[in-house]
């Protein structure tokens, strides 16, 4: 099932740009890259798809042909007559170093041809085989699990979607959107899961889809690893990562395992390149640029909150009536905010920023820092308007910043506050959790 994805608008801008370069679509497995490009291909006069895990397709790039002869060979093999606008889609492009290398010649010698490349485990396999994209000759977009906005459209909640897209969401829509955001958070944004829910409206029907997705990631381990021992560490990280998500982690004995810091660190970085998880290293300062401190412990972000809930056995909490902000000690609320912020900037892999101050008996952490109009805005995720803001106040006292956001389970409101210790005045804007995907709008 093809869903409307917001990234399509950026793909359309790419299609219309005069200085267009071949486009590389990056993203974790099963986030819908192939389906997205096939659907996008309908906008062209002709569409050609190559799947380079198939020898017959990858062999096309082994013939040492000129780029124009190569294209004619591709058209002949696929029995396609190129039109005025032709899109060539090279899927699983990491399987052919020569296909990657020739992208620059498509750009230089056939600028009229539209070219998109994509692949599963793209970054991992390219590093393994020492392949690199031609510098300055390609463009990148990132595809993440479906956002709340995309989820609303996929399940046919058109009225709620229209309200959500308003610059100022009407108050009357709050309870409906809050309920739907809770549903989205427990289901997640993996396209196959969303498709099953849209078709069945039955949460119980989602279990085999979650299981299949997690199994597919585990089955990929031999592709990540060079040795059996490395495969064992990666498998351990995949299996235990859900239990460490939302925490600031130590690599040594990660997930109560036996593995050393160096082994775990390597595995985490491999899985981060596969976009299965993300390491959010903290910043200590409050002025631009916000520079991560890679000597500090990172906070772990998982690929998708729905997969996370399934792995933790939390999916059925949706039926319990437990507020989303209270689930798993509030971690799930913080995680879905991170997921929405990641997806909000799909033209760059910008991991959500965490602020940390570590001092004896005076530690503080602010969940997120966003930058708008060259200004730093701290964002806290809390269970209610009554929750303590000690860390946020510490940040404001240090930085002098006079504007902050709190995402919580409640309606929008604005407060004029001051910090208890430093007596610094500031404006606190309280926003419902479902606003997370609109913070960069």
């Amino acid at each position: 099932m093809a869903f409307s994805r917001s990234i399509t608008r950026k793909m359309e801008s790419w299609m219309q740009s005069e200085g267009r370069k071949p486009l590389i679509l990056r993203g974790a497995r099963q986030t819908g890259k192939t389906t997205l490009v096939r659907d996008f291909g309908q906008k062209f006069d002709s569409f050609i798809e190559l799947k380079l895990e198939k020898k017959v397709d990858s062999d096309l790039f082994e013939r040492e042909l000129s780029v124009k002869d190569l294209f004619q060979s591709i058209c002949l093999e696929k029995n396609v007559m190129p039109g005025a606008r032709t899109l060539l889609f090279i899927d699983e492009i990491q399987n052919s170093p020569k296909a990657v290398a020739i992208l620059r010649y498509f750009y230089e010698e056939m600028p009229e041809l539209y070219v998109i490349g994509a692949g599963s485990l793209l970054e991992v396999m390219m590093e393994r085989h020492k392949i690199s994209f031609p510098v300055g000759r390609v463009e990148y977009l990132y595809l993440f699990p479906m956002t709340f906005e995309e989820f609303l459209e996929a399940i046919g909640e058109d009225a709620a979607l229209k309200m959500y897209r308003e610059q100022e969401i009407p108050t009357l829509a709050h309870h409906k959107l809050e309920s739907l955001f809770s549903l989205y958070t427990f289901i997640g944004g993996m396209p196959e899961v969303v498709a099953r829910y849209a078709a069945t409206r039955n949460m119980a029907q989602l279990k085999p889809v979650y299981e299949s997705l997690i199994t597919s990631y585990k089955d990929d381990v031999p592709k990540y690893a060079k040795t059996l021992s490395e495969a064992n560490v990666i498998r351990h990280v995949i299996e235990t990562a859900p239990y460490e998500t939302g925490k600031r982690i130590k690599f040594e004995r990660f997930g109560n395992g036996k593995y050393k810091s160096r082994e775990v660190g390597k595995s985490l970085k491999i899985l981060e390149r596969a976009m299965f998880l993300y390491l959010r290293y903290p910043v200590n300062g409050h002025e631009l640029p916000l520079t991560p401190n890679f000597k500090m412990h990172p906070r772990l972000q998982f690929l998708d909150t729905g997969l996370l809930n399934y792995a933790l056995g939390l999916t059925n909490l949706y039926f319990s009536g437990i507020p989303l902000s209270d689930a798993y000690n509030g971690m799930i609320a913080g995680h879905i905010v991170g997921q929405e912020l990641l997806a909000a900037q799909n033209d760059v892999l910008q991991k959500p920023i965490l602020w940390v101050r570590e001092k004896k008996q005076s530690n503080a952490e602010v969940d997120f820092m966003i930058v708008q109009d060259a200004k730093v805005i701290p964002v806290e995720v809390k269970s209610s308007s009554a929750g303590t803001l000690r860390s946020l106040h510490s940040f404001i006292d240090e930085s002098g910043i006079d504007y902050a956001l709190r995402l919580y389970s409640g309606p929008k409101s604005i407060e004029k506050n001051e910090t208890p210790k430093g007596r610094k005045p500031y404006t606190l804007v309280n926003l419902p959790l479902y606003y997370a995907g609109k913070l960069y709008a």
Side-chain angles (χ1 to χ4, degrees):
M1 181 184 295
F3 292 121
S4 175
R5 305 293 300 267
S6 61
I7 195 175
T8 303
R9 293 192 291 271
K10 294 188 175 182
M11 295 171 71
E12 289 171 345
S13 295
W14 166 81
M15 179 177 69
Q16 295 162 6
S17 64
E18 291 185 7
R20 181 190 63 255
K21 302 173 184 178
L23 177 65
I24 304 301
L25 189 60
R26 305 167 83 161
R29 284 198 60 192
Q30 308 294 334
T31 50
K33 297 185 296 298
T34 300
T35 301
L36 173 70
V37 179
R38 287 173 179 166
D39 188 54
F40 186 64
Q42 297 178 21
K43 301 177 183 294
F44 294 80
D45 300 306
S46 53
F47 174 70
I48 305 170
E49 179 177 351
L50 299 176
K51 298 188 74 66
L52 299 195
E53 80 275 19
K54 295 181 178 179
K55 191 173 185 300
V56 65
D57 286 356
S58 62
D59 280 351
L60 292 167
F61 294 91
E62 301 296 324
R63 299 177 183 176
E64 304 295 336
L65 299 174
S66 70
V67 68
K68 292 186 178 180
D69 286 345
L70 170 63
F71 180 63
Q72 289 185 12
S73 179
I74 291 170
C75 292
L76 182 63
E77 178 66 33
K78 296 300 177 181
N79 193 26
V80 173
M81 289 292 293
R85 292 197 307 176
T86 298
L87 174 61
L88 173 62
F89 176 36
I90 309 174
D91 204 5
E92 307 298 347
I93 192 172
Q94 76 283 348
N95 287 314
S96 172
K98 291 185 178 180
V100 173
I102 209 166
L103 288 175
R104 67 172 296 168
Y105 299 107
F106 279 126
Y107 169 64
E108 293 171 356
E109 299 179 30
M110 295 189 68
E112 73 280 4
L113 181 65
Y114 299 77
V115 181
I116 296 179
S120 302
L121 312 179
L122 187 60
E123 287 78 7
V124 174
M125 300 304 291
M126 289 188 66
E127 180 170 329
R128 172 73 49 81
H129 299 295
K130 308 299 181 188
I131 306 169
S132 61
F133 286 112
V135 178
R137 299 294 191 275
V138 297
E139 301 176 35
Y140 299 97
L141 286 176
Y142 295 83
L143 185 64
F144 297 93
M146 297 174 71
T147 64
F148 178 50
E149 181 177 0
E150 293 167 341
F151 175 80
L152 289 176
E153 186 166 3
I155 65 171
E157 289 286 349
D158 298 335
L161 177 63
K162 182 178 179 181
M163 296 286 190
Y164 180 78
R165 285 175 171 168
E166 295 287 337
Q167 186 170 1
E168 189 71 24
I169 297 177
T171 303
L172 60 91
H174 171 68
H175 291 296
K176 178 68 172 180
L177 286 171
E178 190 174 51
S179 174
L180 288 168
F181 190 74
S182 180
L183 174 66
Y184 163 68
T185 299
F186 283 108
I187 289 177
M190 299 302 286
E192 188 178 355
V193 175
V194 176
R196 178 67 64 87
Y197 180 78
T200 67
R201 292 295 199 259
N202 188 336
M203 295 278 279
Q205 293 289 322
L206 307 184
K207 181 178 178 179
V209 186
Y210 288 126
E211 191 63 38
S212 174
L213 288 170
I214 291 175
T215 300
S216 72
Y217 288 116
K218 291 179 180 178
D219 288 346
D220 281 336
V221 169
K223 300 176 185 177
Y224 303 137
K226 295 180 181 178
T227 65
L228 179 59
S229 60
E230 190 172 277
N232 289 335
V233 183
I234 294 172
R235 190 171 288 107
H236 169 75
V237 171
I238 289 175
E239 291 173 350
T240 59
Y243 302 95
E244 303 297 326
T245 294
K247 304 174 186 176
R248 291 185 59 211
I249 61 170
K250 294 181 180 180
F251 293 178
E252 187 80 18
R253 298 181 61 80
F254 175 85
N256 295 319
K258 61 183 179 181
Y259 301 108
K260 296 187 179 297
S261 176
R262 184 176 178 181
E263 297 172 295
V264 170
K266 184 177 181 180
S267 295
L268 284 167
K269 288 171 185 174
I270 288 172
L271 292 171
E272 185 170 37
R273 284 193 290 275
M275 300 177 74
F276 178 78
L277 51 77
Y278 304 93
L279 301 175
R280 294 177 52 210
Y281 282 91
V283 300
N284 305 122
H286 40 73
E287 295 180 351
L288 296 175
L290 296 172
T291 305
N293 185 340
F294 293 103
K295 295 181 180 178
M296 301 184 74
H297 300 307
R299 183 178 286 182
L300 187 63
Q301 176 86 22
F302 202 65
L303 166 62
D304 174 69
T305 302
L307 284 174
L308 177 63
N309 289 329
Y310 177 75
L312 295 174
L314 298 179
T315 305
N316 285 338
L317 282 181
Y318 175 74
F319 301 105
S320 71
I322 294 175
L324 169 62
S325 50
D326 293 340
Y328 211 64
N329 297 319
M331 184 274 284
I332 298 299
H335 189 272
I336 193 62
V337 170
Q339 184 169 322
E340 286 278 86
L341 292 178
L342 261 172
Q345 296 179 299
N346 49 30
D347 56 345
V348 61
L349 184 54
Q350 179 64 60
K351 289 179 282 188
I353 300 169
L354 163 75
W355 179 81
V356 168
R357 184 194 64 195
E358 290 183 345
K359 294 181 179 178
K360 267 191 175 181
Q361 299 178 335
S362 185
N363 291 344
E365 294 185 9
V366 175
D367 295 314
F368 301 98
M369 311 287 285
I370 63 173
V371 179
Q372 288 185 330
D373 300 324
K375 293 181 180 179
V376 177
I377 302 174
V379 181
E380 281 279 63
V381 181
K382 292 295 181 183
S383 59
S384 69
S385 59
T388 177
L389 295 171
R390 184 183 62 82
S391 291
L392 180 63
H393 290 155
S394 295
F395 177 82
I396 292 172
D397 282 336
E398 285 190 17
S399 67
I401 287 172
D402 60 1
Y403 183 88
L405 300 176
R406 170 168 51 191
L407 295 174
Y408 77 122
S409 293
K412 181 179 180 179
S413 65
I414 299 176
E415 303 175 19
K416 294 292 184 179
N417 290 345
E418 65 176 26
T419 62
K421 184 177 179 181
R423 316 301 294 181
K424 297 280 182 70
Y426 73 98
T427 299
L428 178 66
V429 179
N430 297 301
L431 295 172
L433 285 163
Y434 54 78
Y435 262 84
K438 297 169 67 71
L439 293 187
Y440 286 113

